[in-house]
Amino acid sequence: MQSSSRNKVGLVFFPAFDWCITPDHPEREERLLYTRDQIVEEGLLDVPGIEEFRPRVAEDVEISRAHVCVPSVGSVITQSHRIAAGGTMVAADLVLTGRVSRSFALLRPPGHHANRIVHGSRGFCTINNEAIMVEHVRRTYGSHLRIAIVDTDAHHADGTQDIFYNDPGILHISLHQDGRTLYPGTGFIHERGGPAAYGQTVNVPLPPGTGDEGVLYVIENLVLPILADFEPDLVINAAGQDNHYTDPLTNMQVTAQGYARLTELLSPDIVVLEGGYSIEGALPYVNAGLLLALAGLDYSAVREPDWSEEKVKQPPHISETIEKTVAQLWQMWRTRKDVDLERIFGHGPFFTRQRRIYYDTDNITEEQVEKIRLCPACSGWRVIQSGAARGWGVPLGRVTVIAAVLIPWHACEDCRREADEEFDRLQKSGRFRYVYLQDVERDIYKRV
Amino acid sequence: MYIAGIDVGGTNTDAALIKDNEVVATGKVPTDHVNLVESTAAALETILGSYRGTEPLELHLSTTLSTNSIVEGRGDPALVLAVPGPGMRIEDLRLGFAVHQLSGSVDHRGREVAPIDREEVKAAMNAAREAGMEVLAVVGKFSHRNPSQELTIEALAREGDYRFRHITLGHRLSGRPNFPRRLATSYLNASVAGQQARFVEMVRRLMLEGRNIGKVYLLKADGGTMTLEDSLVRPVETILSGPAASLMGARALSNHQEGNAIIVDIGGTTTDMAVQAAGEPVFQPQGAEIAGHRTLVPALFVRSIGLGGDSEIRVLCRRENGQTSRQLVIGPKRAGIPAALGGSRPTPTDAAVVLGMTSVGDVHRARKAVAELAGALGIGVEETARKIIDGFVRQLVEAVEDIYQYLESRPVYTVSELLAPRDIRPRVLIGLGGPAQVFIPLAARAMGIDWEVLPYHEEANAIGAAASRPTAAVTYHADTALGVAAVPEMDYTGEIQKAMLFDIRKAREEARRWAIEKGKELGVLDPDDIAIVEEESFNVVRGFYTIGRIFTIRAQVRPQVRRIVPGAERGEPNAVQQS
């Protein structure tokens, strides 16, 4: 007989014990081994109210709702990516069908560095599990659902930001170690979203050395008030576990207790594992604490073996920096609707942005030009022209140039027509290896 | 060679005598709970008349002793010393028994993180002895990876003047993870140990009373046997051996010992179902559950539903779109004995009697009972009877489907298992029980598979006890980065020599070697009877270098059952049908 959890929690656990990027890569078979050992030994899977479910395999069309994969879905991912994305969708279905009150997709590989256009793998990610889930949720349960994603990985969730940066239905908040000190080097407070969703991208850069105190301060004084204001139908926590004080790739000081408290405060509907590579010292304890917190059980006895108060103490100057950032971001949130968008995005008819994106995992450089139709009636159709080749900066191989026309949810008639015309024009131009059309509302995904 | 199987049940004690592979006698006496040894001896007497051998008789015993004592909460009060370390609070486990928590801790790789406080241990043991506790259970979190703290506490218990009559150490009972289950298993083991010791004494006396009895084995929840000596160390494994005995009886008597099958035992009130995959029984995912305690005791996977020959039949009215439809629902309650046999209400057995599918009891009484339902439905008696039979079959087939959906939705942790799941779907439906001859062929047809109905029912448990063979498993865990290996079930921990050369083949060899050793203790001498059933292997990478490997390999004495054919005593062969 075990204590029942207060919340019915669905766990989709898939450690992919037979998959790795390379045998000595952080994203390897061993990553969730000790987490599995800890969870099973704690008996957490026996707690009434915590139920384990199998993931499923995501289909091409489900991935195409969030991504334009070049040259095709099947060519850039492995079965293991499909299972991670499929498992994340299972986690969403469990909550949205009312089978459980909360769910946790504890699986790998992660996804939050994967952009809308996918030429390969970056930051250990190829396809974006949260984004695929969000599109699945909107298609299955209603395209008007308002969804908040709170990404608490130590790295900026640049991929998720990219996918939803002009999406008025989505609020994306990313807490991360300051981009000046860590991959991917983005996620500054002035990155606030596109013309149709300005202010709904919220970046909270945290100084190296931030501990429980700082992260929980941000949750209580910024994230929760913004969520209360945004009133989402669904809160997703992209739960990277690399803010932990033992993580080998970052410089943060968060503990298992901090993560559990964060989860308790945020009370997300769905939690999805992202990064976290202190596979022995952090993950077993963070995940045990997180699962207990999600279930509404006492997590106070979860403690890392090498924990000491001095080790995880946050210096006072860091607290001051964080308080200032939070005050500034709260002010920015409150006044987001007063901002003169023309001053930022121009008069139209298009806003254009140009970017260079490096795929560190696969050593690919991508150059992108994106045009967004500034439409008064909807969020506007978009066209992305993208060229990519192996190598860093200097192309080492053939450059693949593609174009993708994107029609958003709830596009107006004019935008639909213009987008269709653009798709035809690009096809005929002969300048592109492939031209893609992504029409989420009609669920049409073409490549010519 | 003769083997006697005796199943001491709550009501009756059944006995069966098998010679080589044939049933030569069966018998039955009422169980005397006050003088268990008397009724066990009496059951043995009913079959000994057919014993014509000269060599000592091998005796296989299945008892409800531990089961009853746990269900009725009659076990001895035990001091449970736990070394929980950090994690889920032990108070939140609501284990249903008191646990004394000690300091100390071991991590997931079996490294000691915090030491035991010897004075704390002694104080706890003194207090428990003063409170009259005579048995001790010691359980550490991750003790299956490193039992040293449990062993230290055991040594302290033996050094001092505590005189515990029995000490259970968690790691010896199972090499599997799950601390709360290890706690429950160890507590139950310690609390039934005294009673088991008395029972073993009685059995030894029984053997000495001039009967030519050789080896004695006890049946376990996994359908295998253990020695009398071993049962003193791990008595908890004898729980739930009754249902296991019946299912092993079915497996023994079936022509389908290989391949995939579903075994369905249809009784009066309930139907028990078990699964065979690739010739081996399917086990409970983690272990047996008994009286609300989740344990690590290996147990056959058994599902019971309230559906049987004596089930109650109700008419359910449904209103949909202004239309009223009437549906028959069978079970889960029992109506009583069938009307054909003198009962007052219609049952599935009565429906079968009406249709001439079986010839028990009085057909007129059966018709009269079914006619009442026919009146409520506004249709004829035969049609009502057919609806009852169809309803029974439909409910049975749905229950079987539920089992497979449950088993197929169990989590898997590798890409390959998820993409290519193991095929466990049945090719044959093996049935036993009074109503089996009526329902099994129909259910098999509905499922599109073959069927087989076994000629024994009430004796299947005793036959199963006689036919059962030893089972045991060992878990070999090696961590070459730490240079240590452990086999908790064998109380072994040691260092790995030449750790960098230690690979998966070496690990398999070691696991097999330990399992063979375990097998020898049980009299299993053929190395072909040892199989590796689970295997994990991970590279341990720190920085950018592989610094070692972790292997976990589970090897077992394959769960087998003797093939038994019905003897001349019964005369009927198994009824079979290829569909």
Side-chain angles (χ1 to χ4, degrees):
Chain A
M1 267 174 285
Q2 293 209 327
S3 82
S4 291
S5 58
R6 278 195 283 119
N7 309 309
K8 202 161 162 21
V9 175
L11 175 68
V12 184
F13 182 42
F14 191 72
F17 281 152
D18 54 352
W19 183 86
C20 63
I21 290 180
T22 56
D24 53 3
H25 193 279
E27 206 41 82
R28 64 179 179 272
E29 296 91 337
E30 186 194 1
R31 184 172 167 222
L32 292 175
L33 170 63
Y34 311 108
T35 293
R36 190 274 316 260
D37 287 353
Q38 192 77 33
I39 287 177
V40 175
E41 176 68 358
E42 295 285 353
L44 285 170
L45 301 177
D46 274 344
V47 174
I50 296 180
E51 200 182 338
E52 197 179 357
F53 296 87
R54 249 192 217 215
R56 63 179 177 85
V57 180
E59 291 167 19
D60 283 10
V61 63
E62 295 175 312
I63 295 161
S64 298
R65 286 178 190 137
H67 290 291
V68 171
C69 295
V70 183
S72 65
V73 171
S75 64
V76 292
I77 60 169
T78 65
Q79 292 292 359
S80 153
H81 295 102
R82 288 186 192 271
I83 296 167
T88 311
M89 288 189 278
V90 168
D93 288 334
L94 289 171
V95 171
L96 286 148
T97 55
R99 183 127 184 224
V100 301
S101 51
R102 288 159 179 200
S103 63
F104 184 11
L106 179 50
L107 38 71
R108 52 182 287 268
H112 76 153
H113 293 305
N115 291 337
R116 185 172 295 266
I117 307 284
V118 179
H119 287 280
S121 188
R122 55 191 300 272
F124 317 164
C125 305
T126 309
I127 52 173
N128 194 307
N129 298 328
E130 291 88 5
I132 291 165
M133 168 174 73
V134 163
E135 291 305 348
H136 167 72
V137 166
R138 291 203 283 201
R139 168 133 306 272
T140 315
Y141 304 98
S143 58
H144 286 282
L145 286 172
R146 288 163 69 78
I147 299 171
I149 303 169
V150 180
D151 191 301
T152 50
D153 190 281
H155 301 88
H156 175 225
D158 55 347
T160 316
Q161 171 171 317
D162 172 69
I163 293 171
F164 296 120
Y165 108 112
N166 198 43
D167 194 323
I170 309 293
L171 168 68
H172 181 238
I173 305 175
S174 178
L175 276 65
H176 46 262
Q177 184 177 326
D178 194 326
R180 290 171 299 186
T181 61
L182 190 67
Y183 179 88
T186 51
F188 300 102
I189 60 173
H190 61 78
E191 296 165 38
R192 302 179 69 189
Y198 192 70
Q200 285 177 217
T201 293
V202 179
N203 280 302
V204 191
L206 299 167
T210 299
D212 292 354
E213 192 192 327
V215 167
L216 297 176
Y217 182 86
V218 176
I219 297 292
E220 284 183 277
N221 295 285
L222 184 70
V223 177
L224 293 180
I226 290 178
L227 288 176
D229 210 10
F230 185 74
E231 294 186 313
D233 298 302
L234 200 63
V235 176
I236 297 161
N237 179 203
Q241 305 183 344
D242 41 9
N243 290 299
H244 196 265
Y245 67 90
T246 61
D247 196 273
L249 308 181
T250 67
N251 317 91
M252 305 290 265
Q253 297 282 65
V254 178
T255 69
Q257 283 293 313
Y259 271 107
R261 177 71 182 142
L262 180 157
T263 308
E264 186 173 59
L265 285 171
L266 196 59
S267 60
D269 299 294
I270 302 160
V271 178
V272 184
L273 177 68
E274 279 298 331
Y277 299 94
S278 173
I279 61 174
E280 276 204 75
L283 265 59
Y285 307 99
V286 173
N287 282 309
L290 208 155
L291 205 49
L292 286 170
L294 215 49
L297 292 170
D298 188 333
Y299 54 79
S300 62
V302 176
R303 185 67 85 203
E304 300 84 345
D306 66 343
W307 178 91
S308 75
E309 207 170 335
E310 305 81 71
K311 215 180 244 181
V312 299
K313 208 169 158 51
Q314 181 179 296
H317 71 273
I318 288 179
S319 309
E320 282 165 32
T321 310
I322 293 171
E323 281 164 31
K324 274 187 206 151
T325 307
V326 164
Q328 192 181 357
L329 283 166
W330 176 239
Q331 179 65 15
M332 286 163 72
W333 170 262
R334 283 197 328 144
T335 58
R336 72 192 184 285
K337 288 176 181 157
D338 309 332
V339 173
D340 178 8
L341 293 181
E342 277 195 7
R343 208 170 55 82
I344 303 168
F345 298 105
H347 306 286
F350 289 96
F351 164 71
T352 304
R353 67 168 180 168
Q354 203 158 350
R355 294 189 299 161
R356 173 179 284 193
I357 298 149
Y358 180 61
Y359 293 64
D360 59 310
T361 305
D362 280 349
N363 187 26
I364 293 169
T365 300
E366 178 191 3
E367 297 272 1
Q368 243 190 42
V369 181
E370 178 174 5
K371 277 166 58 181
I372 303 176
R373 178 75 167 93
L374 297 176
C375 175
C378 71
S379 61
W381 66 276
R382 287 191 271 171
V383 57
I384 299 173
Q385 297 184 8
S386 159
R390 297 249 159 227
W392 185 6
V394 185
L396 298 177
R398 211 177 55 158
V399 181
T400 307
V401 183
I402 63 110
V405 175
L406 318 174
I407 306 177
W409 283 103
H410 316 300
C412 69
E413 281 312 307
D414 288 342
C415 277
R416 284 205 161 276
R417 187 175 37 73
E418 286 177 31
D420 285 342
E421 286 167 8
E422 177 74 358
F423 181 61
D424 284 341
R425 200 181 63 74
L426 291 169
Q427 263 184 78
K428 285 176 190 138
S429 75
R431 287 170 49 217
F432 302 98
R433 179 78 182 82
Y434 301 110
V435 180
Y436 296 82
L437 177 73
Q438 185 187 58
D439 183 346
V440 280
E441 194 155 331
R442 289 189 190 154
D443 216 16
I444 293 170
Y445 312 97
K446 281 194 220 168
R447 186 192 79 179
V448 291
Chain B
M1 172 190 165
Y2 283 92
I3 301 175
I6 295 182
D7 179 48
V8 183
T11 316
N12 292 316
T13 298
D14 291 291
L17 184 67
I18 59 173
K19 183 188 181 221
D20 299 325
N21 287 325
E22 197 174 313
V23 183
V24 291
T26 59
K28 182 191 292 290
V29 299
T31 300
D32 180 349
H33 290 279
V34 182
N35 289 307
L36 210 53
V37 74
E38 297 290 324
S39 56
T40 306
L44 191 56
E45 289 302 331
T46 64
I47 51 168
L48 281 183
S50 306
Y51 172 57
R52 308 261 179 273
T54 49
E55 79 277 23
L57 181 65
E58 188 172 308
L59 179 60
H60 293 193
L61 266 174
S62 155
T63 82
T64 50
L65 210 59
S66 300
T67 306
N68 288 347
S69 125
I70 290 167
V71 170
E72 293 161 17
R74 284 189 289 102
D76 296 330
L79 168 63
V80 182
L81 292 178
V83 186
M88 188 163 169
R89 274 163 31 101
I90 230 167
E91 295 81 357
D92 288 344
L93 297 174
R94 291 200 207 139
L95 292 162
F97 52 88
V99 172
H100 188 104
Q101 297 185 51
L102 299 172
S103 43
S105 136
V106 167
D107 79 359
H108 47 78
R109 281 188 62 198
R111 291 168 296 211
E112 186 171 64
V113 174
I116 293 287
D117 178 342
R118 289 164 174 263
E119 294 313 311
E120 195 183 63
V121 175
K122 288 178 190 167
M125 294 198 288
N126 274 323
R129 287 302 283 138
E130 271 165 35
M133 291 176 176
E134 298 185 318
V135 292
L136 169 66
V138 184
V139 186
K141 193 178 281 177
F142 290 113
S143 67
H144 63 304
R145 291 283 157 82
N146 177 357
S148 65
Q149 296 192 333
E150 285 184 3
L151 292 167
T152 304
I153 296 170
E154 182 191 36
L156 287 172
R158 297 207 191 280
E159 275 164 24
D161 187 27
Y162 306 106
R163 283 170 292 167
F164 286 106
R165 284 194 292 110
H166 170 94
I167 300 174
T168 294
L169 299 192
H171 74 273
R172 288 185 187 139
L173 295 182
S174 174
R176 289 193 184 280
N178 199 321
F179 176 60
R181 281 181 185 256
R182 195 176 310 119
L183 272 168
T185 312
S186 305
Y187 159 73
L188 296 176
N189 196 63
S191 69
V192 300
Q195 180 184 262
Q196 185 70 22
R198 290 191 292 277
F199 176 73
V200 169
E201 260 324 294
M202 284 198 294
V203 172
R204 284 183 176 145
R205 233 179 300 137
L206 182 73
M207 290 157 62
L208 290 173
E209 281 169 3
R211 296 185 184 88
N212 190 14
I213 295 173
K215 286 185 182 138
V216 179
Y217 293 95
L218 295 181
L219 211 69
K220 302 188 295 178
D222 67 354
T225 58
M226 74 199 298
T227 60
L228 215 48
E229 292 69 37
D230 220 11
S231 82
L232 294 171
V233 181
R234 38 181 75 224
V236 70
E237 293 195 0
T238 64
I239 58 169
L240 305 175
S241 63
S246 294
L247 291 161
M248 294 311 278
R251 294 193 61 224
L253 291 162
S254 168
N255 294 329
H256 296 89
Q257 291 199 322
E258 306 297 319
N260 294 356
I262 174 95
I263 301 164
V264 175
D265 179 353
I266 309 178
T269 315
T270 59
T271 292
D272 293 344
M273 297 169 287
V275 175
Q276 172 183 306
E280 285 184 9
V282 169
F283 295 103
Q284 292 283 6
Q286 294 208 68
E289 284 190 46
I290 181 166
H293 297 288
R294 291 165 189 247
T295 74
L296 288 169
V297 174
L300 295 178
F301 176 85
V302 184
R303 276 281 168 90
S304 285
I305 52 167
L307 187 69
D310 306 342
S311 286
E312 177 187 76
I313 304 165
R314 288 170 300 136
V315 180
L316 207 69
C317 290
R318 260 212 214 127
R319 221 174 264 279
E320 247 176 72
N321 310 328
Q323 297 265 320
T324 308
S325 65
R326 290 187 165 80
Q327 208 192 341
L328 290 176
V329 177
I330 303 161
K333 279 195 213 142
R334 182 168 185 266
I337 56 168
L341 296 170
S344 54
R345 298 161 68 195
T347 63
T349 303
D350 293 311
V353 172
V354 166
L355 296 174
M357 298 168 85
T358 179
S359 54
V360 293
D362 180 352
V363 67
H364 298 293
R365 293 186 57 106
R367 280 192 75 90
K368 207 177 145 214
V370 175
E372 282 172 32
L373 283 173
L377 293 168
I379 54 173
V381 175
E382 272 79 12
E383 197 182 344
T384 305
R386 264 192 299 277
K387 276 189 187 296
I388 294 168
I389 302 291
D390 290 349
F392 190 107
V393 169
R394 191 180 56 242
Q395 284 177 235
L396 180 59
V397 172
E398 279 170 10
V400 169
E401 179 59 27
D402 281 350
I403 287 179
Y404 284 94
Q405 288 199 356
Y406 168 80
L407 291 173
E408 286 166 352
S409 68
R410 291 298 77 207
V412 293
Y413 294 157
T414 59
V415 175
S416 57
E417 283 172 290
L418 190 87
L419 296 179
R422 184 173 164 226
D423 175 19
I424 57 166
R425 288 275 165 172
R427 306 289 184 267
V428 58
L429 174 58
I430 301 168
L432 69 162
Q437 50 160 331
V438 173
F439 297 108
I440 292 299
L442 295 172
R445 190 176 309 152
M447 293 163 66
I449 58 174
D450 297 346
W451 59 267
E452 177 184 34
V453 173
L454 307 175
Y456 290 95
H457 179 223
E458 290 187 359
E459 309 86 345
N461 50 358
I463 294 170
S468 56
R469 311 264 304 260
T471 54
V474 297
T475 315
Y476 179 79
H477 182 82
D479 186 327
T480 69
L482 299 178
V484 292
V487 184
E489 296 92 341
M490 304 290 280
D491 226 338
Y492 167 81
T493 47
E495 287 179 8
I496 298 173
Q497 305 302 324
K498 294 182 185 159
M500 288 316 280
L501 299 175
F502 195 90
D503 61 4
I504 184 77
R505 279 178 307 121
K506 267 266 182 0
R508 281 184 200 132
E509 262 170 42
E510 283 295 295
R512 278 188 65 87
R513 192 173 65 75
W514 283 105
I516 288 168
E517 190 150 317
K518 180 81 191 172
K520 277 185 195 152
E521 289 175 11
L522 303 169
V524 178
L525 301 173
D526 186 353
D528 286 346
D529 287 338
I530 306 295
I532 287 174
V533 281
E534 286 166 35
E535 186 175 290
E536 278 186 2
S537 159
F538 291 92
N539 286 341
V540 179
V541 179
R542 296 296 174 268
F544 289 96
Y545 301 98
T546 300
I547 58 161
R549 286 182 181 79
I550 294 179
F551 304 103
T552 307
I553 296 175
R554 202 166 159 83
Q556 67 176 14
V557 174
R558 284 175 41 210
Q560 295 182 78
V561 63
R562 273 184 194 81
R563 175 80 177 97
I564 304 290
V565 293
E569 179 247 3
R570 180 62 41 131
E572 325 162 24
N574 300 358
V576 292
Q577 174 69 52
Q578 312 285 323
S579 60

